[in-house]
Amino acid sequence: MATLRTLKCIATGSALAMTLQAVSFLAVEPRVNLEPLGTLELVAPAAAQSKGITYRPPNRLTRAIRTGGTGARGCTNLPGITLMPLVPSNHIGQTLAQRPTFLAYAAGVTAVEFTLVEPNVQKPLWVQTVKPDAQGMVRVELPTTAPELDAGKMYRWSVAVICNPNRRSQDVFAQSWIQRVEPSSELNQRLKAAGSAQEKARIYAETGFWYDAIALLAKENQTNPANSAVRADLSALLEQVNLANLVIRSPQTTQVVKSQPAQ
Protein backbone atom coordinates (compact mmCIF):
# COMPACT_ATOMS: atom_id res chain seq x y z
CA MET A 1 0.00 0.00 0.00
CA ALA A 2 1.35 3.40 -0.93
CA THR A 3 2.21 5.68 1.96
CA LEU A 4 0.69 9.12 2.37
CA ARG A 5 4.04 10.69 1.47
CA THR A 6 4.26 8.62 -1.70
CA LEU A 7 0.76 9.68 -2.75
CA LYS A 8 1.64 13.32 -2.14
CA CYS A 9 4.73 12.98 -4.32
CA ILE A 10 2.71 11.39 -7.11
CA ALA A 11 0.09 14.15 -6.93
CA THR A 12 2.75 16.85 -6.87
CA GLY A 13 4.52 15.30 -9.84
CA SER A 14 1.28 15.07 -11.81
CA ALA A 15 0.42 18.69 -11.10
CA LEU A 16 3.90 19.78 -12.13
CA ALA A 17 3.65 17.80 -15.37
CA MET A 18 0.30 19.39 -16.18
CA THR A 19 1.69 22.85 -15.45
CA LEU A 20 4.70 22.29 -17.70
CA GLN A 21 2.47 20.96 -20.44
CA ALA A 22 0.29 24.08 -20.26
CA VAL A 23 3.31 26.38 -20.34
CA SER A 24 4.69 24.49 -23.32
CA PHE A 25 1.37 24.83 -25.19
CA LEU A 26 1.32 28.58 -24.65
CA ALA A 27 4.95 29.15 -25.51
CA VAL A 28 5.40 27.03 -28.63
CA GLU A 29 3.89 28.10 -31.96
CA PRO A 30 1.51 25.40 -33.29
CA ARG A 31 2.99 23.17 -35.99
CA VAL A 32 1.16 22.12 -39.12
CA ASN A 33 0.28 18.44 -39.24
CA LEU A 34 -0.36 17.21 -42.77
CA GLU A 35 -1.97 13.94 -41.67
CA PRO A 36 -5.54 13.28 -42.90
CA LEU A 37 -8.24 13.79 -40.28
CA GLY A 38 -10.91 11.61 -41.85
CA THR A 39 -14.51 12.84 -41.92
CA LEU A 40 -15.58 15.88 -39.95
CA GLU A 41 -19.13 17.18 -39.73
CA LEU A 42 -19.67 20.75 -38.60
CA VAL A 43 -23.00 21.42 -36.94
CA ALA A 44 -24.24 24.63 -38.47
CA PRO A 45 -25.96 27.08 -36.09
CA ALA A 46 -29.70 27.43 -36.51
CA ALA A 47 -29.21 30.97 -37.80
CA ALA A 48 -26.90 29.71 -40.52
CA GLN A 49 -29.28 26.94 -41.54
CA SER A 50 -32.19 29.35 -41.84
CA LYS A 51 -30.14 31.49 -44.20
CA GLY A 52 -29.63 28.53 -46.48
CA ILE A 53 -25.86 28.10 -46.40
CA THR A 54 -23.95 25.29 -44.70
CA TYR A 55 -20.24 24.62 -44.94
CA ARG A 56 -19.44 20.92 -45.13
CA PRO A 57 -15.70 20.22 -45.00
CA PRO A 58 -14.15 17.74 -47.43
CA ASN A 59 -14.54 14.04 -46.59
CA ARG A 60 -10.78 13.65 -46.22
CA LEU A 61 -9.38 16.50 -44.22
CA THR A 62 -5.82 17.60 -43.70
CA ARG A 63 -5.06 19.25 -40.40
CA ALA A 64 -3.63 22.75 -40.29
CA ILE A 65 -3.90 25.38 -37.60
CA ARG A 66 -5.09 28.83 -38.54
CA THR A 67 -2.81 31.28 -36.77
CA GLY A 68 -3.75 34.84 -35.96
CA GLY A 69 -1.43 37.72 -35.19
CA THR A 70 -2.01 40.21 -32.39
CA GLY A 71 -0.04 42.73 -30.37
CA ALA A 72 2.72 45.11 -31.29
CA ARG A 73 5.95 43.05 -31.21
CA GLY A 74 8.28 45.39 -33.12
CA CYS A 75 5.49 47.85 -34.02
CA THR A 76 5.54 49.98 -30.92
CA ASN A 77 3.56 52.69 -32.71
CA LEU A 78 0.76 50.21 -33.57
CA PRO A 79 -0.18 48.50 -30.30
CA GLY A 80 -3.66 47.35 -31.40
CA ILE A 81 -2.83 45.09 -34.36
CA THR A 82 -5.08 42.11 -35.12
CA LEU A 83 -4.62 39.82 -38.14
CA MET A 84 -6.81 36.81 -38.93
CA PRO A 85 -7.14 34.72 -42.10
CA LEU A 86 -10.81 34.12 -42.93
CA VAL A 87 -10.50 30.34 -43.10
CA PRO A 88 -11.41 27.25 -41.04
CA SER A 89 -9.21 26.75 -38.00
CA ASN A 90 -8.79 22.98 -37.89
CA HIS A 91 -8.20 21.88 -41.49
CA ILE A 92 -6.83 23.11 -44.79
CA GLY A 93 -9.47 24.82 -46.91
CA GLN A 94 -9.86 23.80 -50.53
CA THR A 95 -10.37 25.69 -53.78
CA LEU A 96 -11.23 24.88 -57.37
CA ALA A 97 -9.56 28.02 -58.68
CA GLN A 98 -6.17 28.01 -60.36
CA ARG A 99 -5.69 31.55 -59.08
CA PRO A 100 -7.89 31.83 -56.00
CA THR A 101 -8.89 34.77 -53.86
CA PHE A 102 -7.58 35.09 -50.30
CA LEU A 103 -9.41 36.95 -47.54
CA ALA A 104 -8.16 38.10 -44.15
CA TYR A 105 -9.18 40.51 -41.43
CA ALA A 106 -6.76 43.25 -40.35
CA ALA A 107 -7.35 45.84 -37.64
CA GLY A 108 -5.11 48.62 -36.41
CA VAL A 109 -3.02 48.79 -39.60
CA THR A 110 -3.03 50.70 -42.87
CA ALA A 111 -1.44 48.00 -45.05
CA VAL A 112 -0.37 44.36 -44.93
CA GLU A 113 1.99 42.25 -47.01
CA PHE A 114 0.48 39.11 -48.52
CA THR A 115 2.83 36.24 -49.37
CA LEU A 116 2.04 32.93 -51.09
CA VAL A 117 4.61 30.15 -50.69
CA GLU A 118 4.95 26.64 -52.10
CA PRO A 119 6.38 24.26 -49.48
CA ASN A 120 10.06 23.39 -49.95
CA VAL A 121 10.47 26.24 -52.45
CA GLN A 122 12.50 29.15 -51.13
CA LYS A 123 11.23 31.83 -53.52
CA PRO A 124 7.64 33.00 -52.81
CA LEU A 125 5.16 32.53 -55.63
CA TRP A 126 3.55 35.91 -55.07
CA VAL A 127 4.01 38.98 -52.86
CA GLN A 128 1.52 41.83 -52.72
CA THR A 129 0.91 44.80 -50.42
CA VAL A 130 -2.74 45.61 -49.79
CA LYS A 131 -4.73 48.13 -47.79
CA PRO A 132 -7.63 46.80 -45.71
CA ASP A 133 -11.00 48.35 -46.51
CA ALA A 134 -13.00 50.38 -44.01
CA GLN A 135 -14.22 47.21 -42.24
CA GLY A 136 -10.75 45.68 -42.04
CA MET A 137 -11.23 43.23 -44.92
CA VAL A 138 -8.11 42.30 -46.87
CA ARG A 139 -8.81 40.83 -50.31
CA VAL A 140 -6.09 39.38 -52.55
CA GLU A 141 -7.13 37.97 -55.91
CA LEU A 142 -4.24 36.37 -57.77
CA PRO A 143 -3.89 38.03 -61.19
CA THR A 144 -3.12 36.31 -64.48
CA THR A 145 0.55 37.20 -64.04
CA ALA A 146 0.74 35.05 -60.89
CA PRO A 147 1.59 31.33 -61.15
CA GLU A 148 -1.33 28.90 -61.15
CA LEU A 149 -1.79 26.57 -58.19
CA ASP A 150 -1.21 22.91 -59.01
CA ALA A 151 -4.03 20.49 -58.23
CA GLY A 152 -3.33 18.34 -55.20
CA LYS A 153 -0.62 20.61 -53.77
CA MET A 154 -0.87 22.52 -50.49
CA TYR A 155 0.35 26.09 -50.30
CA ARG A 156 1.00 28.35 -47.32
CA TRP A 157 -0.05 31.99 -47.34
CA SER A 158 0.35 34.77 -44.83
CA VAL A 159 -0.45 38.40 -44.13
CA ALA A 160 2.10 40.46 -42.25
CA VAL A 161 2.61 43.94 -40.88
CA ILE A 162 6.20 45.00 -41.50
CA CYS A 163 7.32 46.78 -38.36
CA ASN A 164 10.96 47.18 -39.33
CA PRO A 165 12.06 46.44 -42.94
CA ASN A 166 15.57 45.75 -41.66
CA ARG A 167 14.37 43.25 -39.04
CA ARG A 168 11.60 41.13 -40.52
CA SER A 169 11.65 38.90 -37.46
CA GLN A 170 9.67 41.67 -35.74
CA ASP A 171 6.77 41.37 -38.18
CA VAL A 172 3.28 40.73 -36.83
CA PHE A 173 1.85 38.00 -39.06
CA ALA A 174 -0.84 35.38 -39.46
CA GLN A 175 -0.86 32.41 -41.80
CA SER A 176 -2.94 29.56 -43.19
CA TRP A 177 -2.92 26.93 -45.95
CA ILE A 178 -4.81 26.20 -49.17
CA GLN A 179 -5.17 23.18 -51.44
CA ARG A 180 -6.43 23.20 -55.00
CA VAL A 181 -8.67 20.31 -56.10
CA GLU A 182 -9.98 19.38 -59.54
CA PRO A 183 -13.80 19.51 -59.74
CA SER A 184 -15.92 16.48 -60.58
CA SER A 185 -18.13 16.51 -63.66
CA GLU A 186 -21.19 16.43 -61.39
CA LEU A 187 -20.00 19.53 -59.51
CA ASN A 188 -19.30 21.36 -62.77
CA GLN A 189 -22.86 20.65 -63.91
CA ARG A 190 -24.31 21.94 -60.64
CA LEU A 191 -22.28 25.12 -60.84
CA LYS A 192 -23.31 25.75 -64.45
CA ALA A 193 -26.95 25.30 -63.51
CA ALA A 194 -26.77 27.75 -60.58
CA GLY A 195 -29.09 30.70 -61.14
CA SER A 196 -27.16 33.27 -59.12
CA ALA A 197 -23.80 33.94 -57.51
CA GLN A 198 -25.34 33.32 -54.09
CA GLU A 199 -26.64 29.92 -55.18
CA LYS A 200 -23.23 29.07 -56.59
CA ALA A 201 -21.59 30.08 -53.30
CA ARG A 202 -23.92 27.74 -51.42
CA ILE A 203 -22.91 24.88 -53.72
CA TYR A 204 -19.25 25.64 -53.09
CA ALA A 205 -19.86 25.64 -49.32
CA GLU A 206 -21.81 22.38 -49.15
CA THR A 207 -19.25 20.57 -51.32
CA GLY A 208 -16.31 21.66 -49.16
CA PHE A 209 -14.75 24.45 -51.23
CA TRP A 210 -14.34 27.11 -48.57
CA TYR A 211 -12.17 29.57 -50.48
CA ASP A 212 -14.52 29.73 -53.46
CA ALA A 213 -17.64 30.17 -51.32
CA ILE A 214 -16.28 32.93 -49.09
CA ALA A 215 -14.61 34.78 -51.99
CA LEU A 216 -17.78 34.80 -54.09
CA LEU A 217 -19.95 36.03 -51.22
CA ALA A 218 -17.42 38.73 -50.28
CA LYS A 219 -17.30 39.93 -53.88
CA GLU A 220 -21.09 40.03 -54.14
CA ASN A 221 -21.30 41.88 -50.84
CA GLN A 222 -18.80 44.41 -52.14
CA THR A 223 -20.47 45.03 -55.49
CA ASN A 224 -24.05 44.93 -54.19
CA PRO A 225 -24.04 46.01 -50.53
CA ALA A 226 -27.83 46.43 -50.53
CA ASN A 227 -28.29 42.66 -50.87
CA SER A 228 -28.95 41.68 -47.27
CA ALA A 229 -29.34 37.98 -48.18
CA VAL A 230 -25.76 37.79 -49.45
CA ARG A 231 -24.49 39.61 -46.37
CA ALA A 232 -26.42 37.18 -44.16
CA ASP A 233 -24.86 34.19 -45.94
CA LEU A 234 -21.41 35.71 -45.55
CA SER A 235 -21.93 36.25 -41.83
CA ALA A 236 -23.36 32.75 -41.39
CA LEU A 237 -20.41 31.18 -43.18
CA LEU A 238 -17.94 32.95 -40.91
CA GLU A 239 -19.98 31.92 -37.88
CA GLN A 240 -19.61 28.26 -38.82
CA VAL A 241 -15.80 28.45 -38.55
CA ASN A 242 -15.82 30.42 -35.29
CA LEU A 243 -15.27 33.85 -36.83
CA ALA A 244 -18.64 35.25 -35.82
CA ASN A 245 -17.02 38.10 -33.92
CA LEU A 246 -16.15 39.73 -37.24
CA VAL A 247 -18.89 42.16 -38.23
CA ILE A 248 -19.63 42.16 -41.96
CA ARG A 249 -21.06 45.50 -43.01
CA SER A 250 -21.37 47.20 -46.37
CA PRO A 251 -17.73 47.31 -47.50
CA GLN A 252 -15.80 49.84 -49.48
CA THR A 253 -13.45 48.90 -52.28
CA THR A 254 -10.15 47.41 -51.18
CA GLN A 255 -7.26 49.50 -52.42
CA VAL A 256 -4.21 47.73 -53.81
CA VAL A 257 -1.08 49.75 -53.09
CA LYS A 258 1.51 47.56 -54.79
CA SER A 259 1.29 44.37 -56.75
CA GLN A 260 4.24 42.49 -58.15
CA PRO A 261 5.60 38.98 -58.55
CA ALA A 262 8.27 37.88 -56.13
CA GLN A 263 11.73 38.95 -57.23
Side-chain angles (χ1 to χ4, degrees):
M1 181 179 296
T3 64
L4 179 60
R5 182 173 181 178
T6 301
L7 292 175
K8 286 183 177 180
C9 290
I10 293 174
T12 303
S14 300
L16 179 59
M18 293 176 64
T19 302
L20 290 176
Q21 184 178 13
V23 171
S24 176
F25 175 78
L26 293 173
V28 178
E29 183 179 3
R31 294 180 296 176
V32 175
N33 178 4
L34 299 182
E35 293 297 324
L37 288 176
T39 301
L40 172 67
E41 291 292 335
L42 293 184
V43 179
Q49 293 176 343
S50 67
K51 294 178 176 62
I53 191 167
T54 301
Y55 173 60
R56 301 188 185 280
N59 288 331
R60 283 183 60 81
L61 301 179
T62 304
R63 184 187 303 276
I65 300 176
R66 174 188 67 203
T67 63
T70 58
R73 298 189 70 183
C75 299
T76 55
N77 60 326
L78 297 172
I81 296 174
T82 298
L83 299 177
M84 180 62 67
L86 300 186
V87 297
S89 62
N90 64 347
H91 64 275
I92 293 179
Q94 294 186 345
T95 182
L96 296 172
Q98 295 174 334
R99 295 183 177 91
T101 296
F102 301 84
L103 296 172
Y105 174 77
V109 298
T110 57
V112 298
E113 182 183 82
F114 168 87
T115 304
L116 178 64
V117 177
E118 181 179 353
N120 303 319
V121 177
Q122 185 174 4
K123 179 182 177 181
L125 292 178
W126 189 255
V127 178
Q128 179 173 324
T129 302
V130 182
K131 278 187 176 181
D133 66 20
Q135 282 70 49
M137 183 79 77
V138 174
R139 177 188 176 95
V140 178
E141 184 173 354
L142 293 184
T144 56
T145 51
E148 296 180 356
L149 302 191
D150 294 330
K153 282 189 178 180
M154 299 174 189
Y155 298 82
R156 179 173 56 84
W157 64 277
S158 63
V159 285
V161 178
I162 303 174
C163 305
N164 184 345
N166 298 321
R167 298 188 64 182
R168 295 300 301 270
S169 61
Q170 296 183 350
D171 288 1
V172 178
F173 75 97
Q175 67 178 2
S176 190
W177 293 70
I178 186 171
Q179 181 184 34
R180 183 185 157 220
V181 176
E182 292 284 3
S184 65
S185 58
E186 179 184 358
L187 178 56
N188 278 332
Q189 291 176 359
R190 291 186 64 190
L191 292 172
K192 289 179 180 178
S196 65
Q198 186 177 14
E199 183 181 350
K200 185 178 289 188
R202 291 175 177 178
I203 294 173
Y204 283 137
E206 71 181 46
T207 53
F209 293 97
W210 170 267
Y211 282 90
D212 307 273
I214 195 76
L216 189 53
L217 289 174
K219 184 176 182 179
E220 286 295 303
N221 187 47
Q222 184 182 54
T223 57
N224 188 12
N227 191 333
S228 59
V230 168
R231 191 162 59 253
D233 268 7
L234 181 56
S235 297
L237 202 59
L238 292 172
E239 181 182 3
Q240 292 174 59
V241 293
N242 300 318
L243 291 172
N245 58 318
L246 299 180
V247 179
I248 304 299
R249 299 185 293 272
S250 301
Q252 298 176 1
T253 302
T254 301
Q255 295 177 301
V256 176
V257 182
K258 181 178 61 177
S259 176
Q260 79 282 351
Q263 300 298 324

